[in-house]
Each structure stands twice: as structure tokens, then as C-alpha cells.
Amino acid sequence: MVVIEKLSPAHMAVVKMIQLAPDQIRFAGTPDEFLEDQCDTTHLHVIKLDDTLVGYFKLDLAYDKKYEYCPAGAIGLRAFVIDKQYQGKGLGTEAVKALLAYLFVHYSSYHWLYLGVNCQNLGAYTCYLKAGLAVCDDKYLGGPAGPQYIMYGKISSS
């Protein structure tokens, strides 16, 4: 079963061991970059499969201030990573579904989840689609690694 948890000091060493394929680092950054980005508006989380840490992501509470495509009051998803040895097994899709339910309970003032996914990152795009996220007609053209699909999902209990 996939579980979402806030990052704790006990997770740090394992997060640093998460590996991405070299072509994925440009989309999500390195584990060290992930760990350095915690602040009041960026909350770091981990993805666990049973008791094994298999990935991580950031929740950006100020996403709507940074990206005009994001409506006020929506929460942003950034740097969503599944360790390369666990990719292709449906864990990313399962984690996004678990995340929407997690947000409903732990971030109840937000009603929408928004993210940008690089147009060249087909694996991530497919994962988000399978999890039930929708795609906006417009693309975000300001991404450092190229154009991005704008995706979103309703935060709900299921």
C-alpha cells in the first residue's frame, strides 16, 4: 500500500539514496536539491510502499503566486519522484491518488492540485493522466527544461 508522509529527519538518509535516470534529473532535480528547498511555503513529503521509502515530492503553498495559470487557493506539486528501480509498476499513479486523499485531510483549505509537467517527460505525464488529473488546453512556456503541460486535479477524499 502506498502511503504519503511528511518528511522527517529519519527519512533524510534514505531520500539521499533515491536514484533517478539521468534524463529525469533535469525535470525533478537531485535528492540534495529536494532537501534544500524546505521553507514555510514548501513542504517536503515522502512516498512509501508499505515500509519502504520509494519517492518524494514538494507541496508548494505559494504556487498560485508563482504561476499565473494556477488559480488562487490551489496547491502546487513539484519535484514528484519515484526511485528508478520502482518505476513502471504503477506506484506513481497510486501515489498521486493517495496524495489527493492526503491533501483532503491535511491541507483541507485547498481544493485543487496544480502542476506543470515537461512535454518531453512522457512517463510523468502518463502517470498523472492515469491518476485522473486533467490537462489544460494551454501550455506553460516558461519552464527551464522546455514547455510544460499544465495539469490539475480536484482534491477529494477518494
Side-chain angles (χ1 to χ4, degrees):
M1 178 170 155
V2 171
V3 176
I4 305 298
E5 294 180 4
K6 276 194 173 184
L7 178 77
S8 74
H11 297 132
M12 302 279 220
V14 180
V15 165
K16 288 182 179 195
M17 295 183 344
I18 294 283
Q19 294 186 13
L20 289 152
D23 63 326
Q24 294 175 325
I25 292 171
R26 68 185 176 123
F27 302 131
T30 66
D32 286 331
E33 291 169 332
F34 167 77
L35 292 170
E36 291 168 5
D37 195 25
Q38 188 165 356
C39 67
D40 289 344
T41 60
T42 302
H43 297 179
L44 306 183
H45 287 74
V46 297
I47 303 163
K48 293 174 91 176
L49 175 62
D50 299 318
D51 291 328
T52 303
L53 197 151
V54 298
Y56 56 76
F57 62 89
K58 303 173 191 177
L59 291 176
D60 188 340
L61 281 59
Y63 201 75
D64 63 338
K65 309 288 187 272
K66 298 172 191 161
Y67 299 100
E68 66 180 47
Y69 63 76
C70 182
I75 196 167
L77 177 64
R78 297 189 298 119
F80 184 85
V81 166
I82 299 290
D83 187 285
K84 70 179 182 179
Q85 71 175 329
Y86 292 97
Q87 292 179 12
K89 303 172 193 274
L91 294 177
T93 298
E94 203 175 323
V96 173
K97 289 177 181 178
L99 172 59
L100 291 169
Y102 175 87
L103 292 172
F104 184 80
V105 173
H106 298 282
Y107 291 84
S108 59
S109 63
Y110 298 91
H111 301 290
W112 296 96
L113 174 71
Y114 267 76
L115 63 112
V117 62
N118 190 284
C119 293
Q120 297 175 8
N121 193 348
L122 187 57
Y125 177 76
T126 302
C127 164
Y128 297 131
L129 281 178
K130 286 181 179 177
L133 299 188
V135 184
C136 293
D137 291 335
D138 294 332
K139 290 185 177 69
Y140 175 66
L141 303 178
Q148 297 178 358
Y149 295 108
I150 301 166
M151 302 186 79
Y152 63 95
K154 178 87 171 128
I155 295 172
S156 66
S157 61
S158 59

mmCIF file of all heavy atoms in Angstrom, residues 71-112:
data_model
loop_
_atom_site.group_PDB
_atom_site.id
_atom_site.type_symbol
_atom_site.label_atom_id
_atom_site.label_comp_id
_atom_site.label_asym_id
_atom_site.label_seq_id
_atom_site.Cartn_x
_atom_site.Cartn_y
_atom_site.Cartn_z
ATOM 1 N N PRO A 71 -4.910 28.881 -10.193
ATOM 2 C CA PRO A 71 -5.886 29.745 -9.523
ATOM 3 C C PRO A 71 -5.545 29.963 -8.049
ATOM 4 O O PRO A 71 -4.868 29.134 -7.431
ATOM 5 C CB PRO A 71 -7.205 28.976 -9.671
ATOM 6 C CG PRO A 71 -6.812 27.554 -9.843
ATOM 7 C CD PRO A 71 -5.475 27.568 -10.537
ATOM 8 N N ALA A 72 -6.032 31.055 -7.511
ATOM 9 C CA ALA A 72 -5.819 31.365 -6.095
ATOM 10 C C ALA A 72 -6.350 30.220 -5.236
ATOM 11 O O ALA A 72 -7.399 29.650 -5.525
ATOM 12 C CB ALA A 72 -6.522 32.668 -5.730
ATOM 13 N N GLY A 73 -5.585 29.881 -4.213
ATOM 14 C CA GLY A 73 -6.024 28.853 -3.291
ATOM 15 C C GLY A 73 -5.727 27.427 -3.706
ATOM 16 O O GLY A 73 -6.037 26.499 -2.967
ATOM 17 N N ALA A 74 -5.106 27.239 -4.850
ATOM 18 C CA ALA A 74 -4.706 25.886 -5.264
ATOM 19 C C ALA A 74 -3.313 25.596 -4.693
ATOM 20 O O ALA A 74 -2.534 26.508 -4.453
ATOM 21 C CB ALA A 74 -4.691 25.755 -6.782
ATOM 22 N N ILE A 75 -3.017 24.343 -4.491
ATOM 23 C CA ILE A 75 -1.706 23.930 -4.002
ATOM 24 C C ILE A 75 -0.931 23.332 -5.179
ATOM 25 O O ILE A 75 -1.521 22.718 -6.072
ATOM 26 C CB ILE A 75 -1.853 22.928 -2.832
ATOM 27 C CG1 ILE A 75 -0.541 22.775 -2.060
ATOM 28 C CG2 ILE A 75 -2.400 21.597 -3.302
ATOM 29 C CD1 ILE A 75 -0.718 22.049 -0.719
ATOM 30 N N GLY A 76 0.378 23.549 -5.199
ATOM 31 C CA GLY A 76 1.193 23.071 -6.307
ATOM 32 C C GLY A 76 1.987 21.828 -5.950
ATOM 33 O O GLY A 76 2.416 21.648 -4.808
ATOM 34 N N LEU A 77 2.179 20.980 -6.933
ATOM 35 C CA LEU A 77 3.008 19.781 -6.794
ATOM 36 C C LEU A 77 4.272 19.992 -7.613
ATOM 37 O O LEU A 77 4.205 20.324 -8.799
ATOM 38 C CB LEU A 77 2.247 18.553 -7.306
ATOM 39 C CG LEU A 77 3.007 17.226 -7.301
ATOM 40 C CD1 LEU A 77 3.363 16.806 -5.874
ATOM 41 C CD2 LEU A 77 2.181 16.141 -7.981
ATOM 42 N N ARG A 78 5.421 19.786 -6.962
ATOM 43 C CA ARG A 78 6.706 19.937 -7.653
ATOM 44 C C ARG A 78 7.623 18.777 -7.287
ATOM 45 O O ARG A 78 7.499 18.170 -6.231
ATOM 46 C CB ARG A 78 7.378 21.269 -7.266
ATOM 47 C CG ARG A 78 6.583 22.480 -7.684
ATOM 48 C CD ARG A 78 7.321 23.806 -7.499
ATOM 49 N NE ARG A 78 7.665 24.085 -6.121
ATOM 50 C CZ ARG A 78 8.915 24.239 -5.672
ATOM 51 N NH1 ARG A 78 9.948 24.131 -6.466
ATOM 52 N NH2 ARG A 78 9.130 24.509 -4.402
ATOM 53 N N ALA A 79 8.575 18.508 -8.158
ATOM 54 C CA ALA A 79 9.638 17.522 -7.925
ATOM 55 C C ALA A 79 9.084 16.175 -7.456
ATOM 56 O O ALA A 79 9.566 15.596 -6.499
ATOM 57 C CB ALA A 79 10.668 18.063 -6.936
ATOM 58 N N PHE A 80 8.088 15.671 -8.158
ATOM 59 C CA PHE A 80 7.492 14.370 -7.832
ATOM 60 C C PHE A 80 8.402 13.280 -8.392
ATOM 61 O O PHE A 80 8.632 13.204 -9.594
ATOM 62 C CB PHE A 80 6.098 14.277 -8.450
ATOM 63 C CG PHE A 80 5.356 13.030 -8.105
ATOM 64 C CD1 PHE A 80 4.622 12.933 -6.947
ATOM 65 C CD2 PHE A 80 5.384 11.937 -8.962
ATOM 66 C CE1 PHE A 80 3.929 11.788 -6.628
ATOM 67 C CE2 PHE A 80 4.695 10.782 -8.658
ATOM 68 C CZ PHE A 80 3.965 10.703 -7.491
ATOM 69 N N VAL A 81 8.943 12.440 -7.499
ATOM 70 C CA VAL A 81 9.969 11.467 -7.883
ATOM 71 C C VAL A 81 9.631 10.087 -7.331
ATOM 72 O O VAL A 81 9.267 9.950 -6.164
ATOM 73 C CB VAL A 81 11.346 11.910 -7.319
ATOM 74 C CG1 VAL A 81 12.367 10.796 -7.390
ATOM 75 C CG2 VAL A 81 11.839 13.147 -8.029
ATOM 76 N N ILE A 82 9.776 9.085 -8.197
ATOM 77 C CA ILE A 82 9.760 7.683 -7.778
ATOM 78 C C ILE A 82 11.139 7.125 -8.140
ATOM 79 O O ILE A 82 11.624 7.318 -9.260
ATOM 80 C CB ILE A 82 8.665 6.870 -8.505
ATOM 81 C CG1 ILE A 82 7.262 7.424 -8.211
ATOM 82 C CG2 ILE A 82 8.758 5.383 -8.149
ATOM 83 C CD1 ILE A 82 6.755 7.211 -6.804
ATOM 84 N N ASP A 83 11.786 6.440 -7.188
ATOM 85 C CA ASP A 83 13.094 5.837 -7.429
ATOM 86 C C ASP A 83 13.040 4.985 -8.696
ATOM 87 O O ASP A 83 12.061 4.272 -8.936
ATOM 88 C CB ASP A 83 13.483 4.975 -6.222
ATOM 89 C CG ASP A 83 14.898 4.446 -6.316
ATOM 90 O OD1 ASP A 83 15.120 3.508 -7.116
ATOM 91 O OD2 ASP A 83 15.772 4.951 -5.600
ATOM 92 N N LYS A 84 14.105 5.057 -9.495
ATOM 93 C CA LYS A 84 14.092 4.389 -10.806
ATOM 94 C C LYS A 84 13.846 2.891 -10.716
ATOM 95 O O LYS A 84 13.249 2.314 -11.619
ATOM 96 C CB LYS A 84 15.368 4.698 -11.595
ATOM 97 C CG LYS A 84 16.627 4.086 -11.077
ATOM 98 C CD LYS A 84 17.807 4.462 -11.973
ATOM 99 C CE LYS A 84 19.078 3.806 -11.501
ATOM 100 N NZ LYS A 84 20.194 4.158 -12.390
ATOM 101 N N GLN A 85 14.241 2.242 -9.630
ATOM 102 C CA GLN A 85 14.003 0.794 -9.528
ATOM 103 C C GLN A 85 12.533 0.455 -9.281
ATOM 104 O O GLN A 85 12.129 -0.684 -9.449
ATOM 105 C CB GLN A 85 14.890 0.167 -8.456
ATOM 106 C CG GLN A 85 14.531 0.513 -7.037
ATOM 107 C CD GLN A 85 15.385 -0.232 -6.026
ATOM 108 O OE1 GLN A 85 15.813 -1.346 -6.263
ATOM 109 N NE2 GLN A 85 15.636 0.401 -4.894
ATOM 110 N N TYR A 86 11.721 1.454 -8.914
ATOM 111 C CA TYR A 86 10.293 1.231 -8.654
ATOM 112 C C TYR A 86 9.399 1.802 -9.755
ATOM 113 O O TYR A 86 8.178 1.690 -9.669
ATOM 114 C CB TYR A 86 9.897 1.836 -7.304
ATOM 115 C CG TYR A 86 10.512 1.124 -6.141
ATOM 116 C CD1 TYR A 86 11.679 1.605 -5.542
ATOM 117 C CD2 TYR A 86 9.965 -0.053 -5.639
ATOM 118 C CE1 TYR A 86 12.257 0.951 -4.466
ATOM 119 C CE2 TYR A 86 10.541 -0.722 -4.572
ATOM 120 C CZ TYR A 86 11.690 -0.213 -3.992
ATOM 121 O OH TYR A 86 12.261 -0.872 -2.936
ATOM 122 N N GLN A 87 10.007 2.414 -10.775
ATOM 123 C CA GLN A 87 9.210 2.999 -11.842
ATOM 124 C C GLN A 87 8.628 1.916 -12.747
ATOM 125 O O GLN A 87 9.144 0.813 -12.834
ATOM 126 C CB GLN A 87 10.071 3.968 -12.662
ATOM 127 C CG GLN A 87 10.459 5.195 -11.882
ATOM 128 C CD GLN A 87 11.338 6.152 -12.665
ATOM 129 O OE1 GLN A 87 11.506 6.028 -13.869
ATOM 130 N NE2 GLN A 87 11.901 7.131 -11.966
ATOM 131 N N GLY A 88 7.518 2.271 -13.400
ATOM 132 C CA GLY A 88 6.885 1.351 -14.343
ATOM 133 C C GLY A 88 6.004 0.295 -13.691
ATOM 134 O O GLY A 88 5.564 -0.645 -14.348
ATOM 135 N N LYS A 89 5.720 0.452 -12.402
ATOM 136 C CA LYS A 89 4.920 -0.532 -11.663
ATOM 137 C C LYS A 89 3.585 0.051 -11.204
ATOM 138 O O LYS A 89 2.877 -0.573 -10.419
ATOM 139 C CB LYS A 89 5.705 -1.051 -10.455
ATOM 140 C CG LYS A 89 7.048 -1.673 -10.820
ATOM 141 C CD LYS A 89 7.854 -1.999 -9.576
ATOM 142 C CE LYS A 89 9.276 -2.317 -9.881
ATOM 143 N NZ LYS A 89 9.601 -3.630 -10.224
ATOM 144 N N GLY A 90 3.275 1.274 -11.624
ATOM 145 C CA GLY A 90 2.026 1.910 -11.220
ATOM 146 C C GLY A 90 2.080 2.625 -9.882
ATOM 147 O O GLY A 90 1.071 3.156 -9.415
ATOM 148 N N LEU A 91 3.260 2.679 -9.255
ATOM 149 C CA LEU A 91 3.365 3.318 -7.941
ATOM 150 C C LEU A 91 3.161 4.830 -8.014
ATOM 151 O O LEU A 91 2.592 5.422 -7.093
ATOM 152 C CB LEU A 91 4.708 3.009 -7.297
ATOM 153 C CG LEU A 91 4.942 1.548 -6.929
ATOM 154 C CD1 LEU A 91 6.340 1.352 -6.373
ATOM 155 C CD2 LEU A 91 3.908 1.087 -5.935
ATOM 156 N N GLY A 92 3.626 5.447 -9.080
ATOM 157 C CA GLY A 92 3.437 6.891 -9.234
ATOM 158 C C GLY A 92 1.962 7.241 -9.313
ATOM 159 O O GLY A 92 1.494 8.160 -8.634
ATOM 160 N N THR A 93 1.221 6.490 -10.107
ATOM 161 C CA THR A 93 -0.218 6.710 -10.234
ATOM 162 C C THR A 93 -0.912 6.491 -8.898
ATOM 163 O O THR A 93 -1.736 7.302 -8.467
ATOM 164 C CB THR A 93 -0.795 5.758 -11.304
ATOM 165 O OG1 THR A 93 -0.170 6.059 -12.563
ATOM 166 C CG2 THR A 93 -2.301 5.908 -11.428
ATOM 167 N N GLU A 94 -0.552 5.417 -8.221
ATOM 168 C CA GLU A 94 -1.128 5.117 -6.911
ATOM 169 C C GLU A 94 -0.782 6.220 -5.911
ATOM 170 O O GLU A 94 -1.619 6.616 -5.093
ATOM 171 C CB GLU A 94 -0.598 3.770 -6.420
ATOM 172 C CG GLU A 94 -1.472 3.093 -5.417
ATOM 173 C CD GLU A 94 -0.979 1.707 -5.039
ATOM 174 O OE1 GLU A 94 -0.471 0.978 -5.907
ATOM 175 O OE2 GLU A 94 -1.099 1.372 -3.842
ATOM 176 N N ALA A 95 0.442 6.741 -5.988
ATOM 177 C CA ALA A 95 0.869 7.807 -5.073
ATOM 178 C C ALA A 95 0.103 9.103 -5.322
ATOM 179 O O ALA A 95 -0.251 9.801 -4.374
ATOM 180 C CB ALA A 95 2.373 8.034 -5.196
ATOM 181 N N VAL A 96 -0.160 9.439 -6.583
ATOM 182 C CA VAL A 96 -0.919 10.664 -6.870
ATOM 183 C C VAL A 96 -2.342 10.529 -6.334
ATOM 184 O O VAL A 96 -2.885 11.471 -5.742
ATOM 185 C CB VAL A 96 -0.909 10.989 -8.380
ATOM 186 C CG1 VAL A 96 -1.838 12.158 -8.692
ATOM 187 C CG2 VAL A 96 0.510 11.307 -8.852
ATOM 188 N N LYS A 97 -2.944 9.378 -6.509
ATOM 189 C CA LYS A 97 -4.295 9.157 -5.964
ATOM 190 C C LYS A 97 -4.272 9.268 -4.438
ATOM 191 O O LYS A 97 -5.149 9.891 -3.836
ATOM 192 C CB LYS A 97 -4.822 7.788 -6.393
ATOM 193 C CG LYS A 97 -5.159 7.712 -7.864
ATOM 194 C CD LYS A 97 -5.619 6.303 -8.232
ATOM 195 C CE LYS A 97 -5.935 6.187 -9.706
ATOM 196 N NZ LYS A 97 -6.330 4.815 -10.069
ATOM 197 N N ALA A 98 -3.271 8.665 -3.806
ATOM 198 C CA ALA A 98 -3.139 8.751 -2.348
ATOM 199 C C ALA A 98 -2.902 10.195 -1.921
ATOM 200 O O ALA A 98 -3.396 10.637 -0.876
ATOM 201 C CB ALA A 98 -2.001 7.853 -1.860
ATOM 202 N N LEU A 99 -2.151 10.938 -2.726
ATOM 203 C CA LEU A 99 -1.867 12.337 -2.412
ATOM 204 C C LEU A 99 -3.153 13.162 -2.385
ATOM 205 O O LEU A 99 -3.345 13.986 -1.486
ATOM 206 C CB LEU A 99 -0.882 12.918 -3.422
ATOM 207 C CG LEU A 99 -0.644 14.423 -3.323
ATOM 208 C CD1 LEU A 99 -0.118 14.815 -1.951
ATOM 209 C CD2 LEU A 99 0.300 14.872 -4.428
ATOM 210 N N LEU A 100 -4.033 12.966 -3.343
ATOM 211 C CA LEU A 100 -5.274 13.741 -3.379
ATOM 212 C C LEU A 100 -6.098 13.494 -2.112
ATOM 213 O O LEU A 100 -6.653 14.436 -1.534
ATOM 214 C CB LEU A 100 -6.067 13.426 -4.642
ATOM 215 C CG LEU A 100 -5.418 13.928 -5.938
ATOM 216 C CD1 LEU A 100 -6.115 13.338 -7.153
ATOM 217 C CD2 LEU A 100 -5.402 15.445 -6.006
ATOM 218 N N ALA A 101 -6.160 12.262 -1.658
ATOM 219 C CA ALA A 101 -6.875 11.949 -0.417
ATOM 220 C C ALA A 101 -6.135 12.531 0.791
ATOM 221 O O ALA A 101 -6.760 13.047 1.726
ATOM 222 C CB ALA A 101 -7.044 10.433 -0.273
ATOM 223 N N TYR A 102 -4.813 12.478 0.779
ATOM 224 C CA TYR A 102 -3.983 13.038 1.851
ATOM 225 C C TYR A 102 -4.216 14.553 1.957
ATOM 226 O O TYR A 102 -4.369 15.095 3.057
ATOM 227 C CB TYR A 102 -2.519 12.729 1.557
ATOM 228 C CG TYR A 102 -1.519 13.332 2.513
ATOM 229 C CD1 TYR A 102 -1.160 12.667 3.682
ATOM 230 C CD2 TYR A 102 -0.910 14.551 2.240
ATOM 231 C CE1 TYR A 102 -0.226 13.211 4.560
ATOM 232 C CE2 TYR A 102 0.019 15.101 3.103
ATOM 233 C CZ TYR A 102 0.356 14.430 4.262
ATOM 234 O OH TYR A 102 1.277 14.975 5.126
ATOM 235 N N LEU A 103 -4.249 15.223 0.816
ATOM 236 C CA LEU A 103 -4.466 16.670 0.804
ATOM 237 C C LEU A 103 -5.840 17.023 1.364
ATOM 238 O O LEU A 103 -5.994 18.027 2.067
ATOM 239 C CB LEU A 103 -4.325 17.220 -0.616
ATOM 240 C CG LEU A 103 -2.926 17.180 -1.211
ATOM 241 C CD1 LEU A 103 -2.957 17.557 -2.686
ATOM 242 C CD2 LEU A 103 -1.965 18.061 -0.441
ATOM 243 N N PHE A 104 -6.837 16.217 1.065
ATOM 244 C CA PHE A 104 -8.195 16.443 1.563
ATOM 245 C C PHE A 104 -8.208 16.497 3.086
ATOM 246 O O PHE A 104 -8.908 17.304 3.680
ATOM 247 C CB PHE A 104 -9.117 15.333 1.039
ATOM 248 C CG PHE A 104 -10.557 15.517 1.417
ATOM 249 C CD1 PHE A 104 -11.369 16.398 0.719
ATOM 250 C CD2 PHE A 104 -11.105 14.800 2.464
ATOM 251 C CE1 PHE A 104 -12.700 16.569 1.063
ATOM 252 C CE2 PHE A 104 -12.443 14.966 2.826
ATOM 253 C CZ PHE A 104 -13.240 15.852 2.122
ATOM 254 N N VAL A 105 -7.398 15.655 3.721
ATOM 255 C CA VAL A 105 -7.346 15.577 5.186
ATOM 256 C C VAL A 105 -6.383 16.613 5.772
ATOM 257 O O VAL A 105 -6.719 17.335 6.712
ATOM 258 C CB VAL A 105 -6.938 14.156 5.642
ATOM 259 C CG1 VAL A 105 -6.702 14.105 7.139
ATOM 260 C CG2 VAL A 105 -7.978 13.144 5.210
ATOM 261 N N HIS A 106 -5.170 16.714 5.211
ATOM 262 C CA HIS A 106 -4.103 17.502 5.833
ATOM 263 C C HIS A 106 -3.947 18.927 5.297
ATOM 264 O O HIS A 106 -3.265 19.743 5.923
ATOM 265 C CB HIS A 106 -2.772 16.761 5.701
ATOM 266 C CG HIS A 106 -2.784 15.434 6.406
ATOM 267 N ND1 HIS A 106 -2.652 15.320 7.766
ATOM 268 C CD2 HIS A 106 -2.938 14.176 5.927
ATOM 269 C CE1 HIS A 106 -2.709 14.041 8.108
ATOM 270 N NE2 HIS A 106 -2.891 13.330 7.014
ATOM 271 N N TYR A 107 -4.544 19.213 4.149
ATOM 272 C CA TYR A 107 -4.482 20.552 3.545
ATOM 273 C C TYR A 107 -5.891 20.939 3.096
ATOM 274 O O TYR A 107 -6.118 21.285 1.942
ATOM 275 C CB TYR A 107 -3.496 20.568 2.373
ATOM 276 C CG TYR A 107 -2.056 20.411 2.794
ATOM 277 C CD1 TYR A 107 -1.506 19.154 3.025
ATOM 278 C CD2 TYR A 107 -1.236 21.521 2.960
ATOM 279 C CE1 TYR A 107 -0.182 19.007 3.420
ATOM 280 C CE2 TYR A 107 0.096 21.387 3.353
ATOM 281 C CZ TYR A 107 0.607 20.125 3.576
ATOM 282 O OH TYR A 107 1.928 19.992 3.958
ATOM 283 N N SER A 108 -6.823 20.866 4.016
ATOM 284 C CA SER A 108 -8.243 20.983 3.688
ATOM 285 C C SER A 108 -8.662 22.362 3.173
ATOM 286 O O SER A 108 -9.746 22.504 2.615
ATOM 287 C CB SER A 108 -9.096 20.596 4.898
ATOM 288 O OG SER A 108 -8.796 21.425 6.003
ATOM 289 N N SER A 109 -7.841 23.379 3.333
ATOM 290 C CA SER A 109 -8.200 24.701 2.810
ATOM 291 C C SER A 109 -7.948 24.818 1.302
ATOM 292 O O SER A 109 -8.335 25.808 0.690
ATOM 293 C CB SER A 109 -7.445 25.808 3.558
ATOM 294 O OG SER A 109 -6.056 25.687 3.351
ATOM 295 N N TYR A 110 -7.329 23.809 0.720
ATOM 296 C CA TYR A 110 -7.058 23.791 -0.726
ATOM 297 C C TYR A 110 -8.045 22.839 -1.402
ATOM 298 O O TYR A 110 -8.351 21.778 -0.873
ATOM 299 C CB TYR A 110 -5.627 23.338 -1.004
ATOM 300 C CG TYR A 110 -4.591 24.272 -0.417
ATOM 301 C CD1 TYR A 110 -4.099 24.068 0.869
ATOM 302 C CD2 TYR A 110 -4.135 25.364 -1.136
ATOM 303 C CE1 TYR A 110 -3.171 24.926 1.426
ATOM 304 C CE2 TYR A 110 -3.199 26.231 -0.590
ATOM 305 C CZ TYR A 110 -2.720 26.007 0.695
ATOM 306 O OH TYR A 110 -1.815 26.867 1.233
ATOM 307 N N HIS A 111 -8.501 23.235 -2.590
ATOM 308 C CA HIS A 111 -9.483 22.416 -3.301
ATOM 309 C C HIS A 111 -8.958 21.858 -4.623
ATOM 310 O O HIS A 111 -9.585 20.983 -5.216
ATOM 311 C CB HIS A 111 -10.763 23.210 -3.524
ATOM 312 C CG HIS A 111 -11.376 23.678 -2.234
ATOM 313 N ND1 HIS A 111 -11.966 22.829 -1.323
ATOM 314 C CD2 HIS A 111 -11.421 24.908 -1.671
ATOM 315 C CE1 HIS A 111 -12.380 23.516 -0.272
ATOM 316 N NE2 HIS A 111 -12.049 24.776 -0.451
ATOM 317 N N TRP A 112 -7.833 22.374 -5.066
ATOM 318 C CA TRP A 112 -7.252 21.940 -6.344
ATOM 319 C C TRP A 112 -5.757 21.715 -6.208
ATOM 320 O O TRP A 112 -5.075 22.454 -5.488
ATOM 321 C CB TRP A 112 -7.502 22.988 -7.438
ATOM 322 C CG TRP A 112 -8.944 23.155 -7.740
ATOM 323 C CD1 TRP A 112 -9.784 24.099 -7.231
ATOM 324 C CD2 TRP A 112 -9.731 22.347 -8.613
ATOM 325 N NE1 TRP A 112 -11.047 23.924 -7.735
ATOM 326 C CE2 TRP A 112 -11.043 22.856 -8.590
ATOM 327 C CE3 TRP A 112 -9.450 21.240 -9.408
ATOM 328 C CZ2 TRP A 112 -12.072 22.298 -9.329
ATOM 329 C CZ3 TRP A 112 -10.483 20.687 -10.156
ATOM 330 C CH2 TRP A 112 -11.774 21.205 -10.114
#
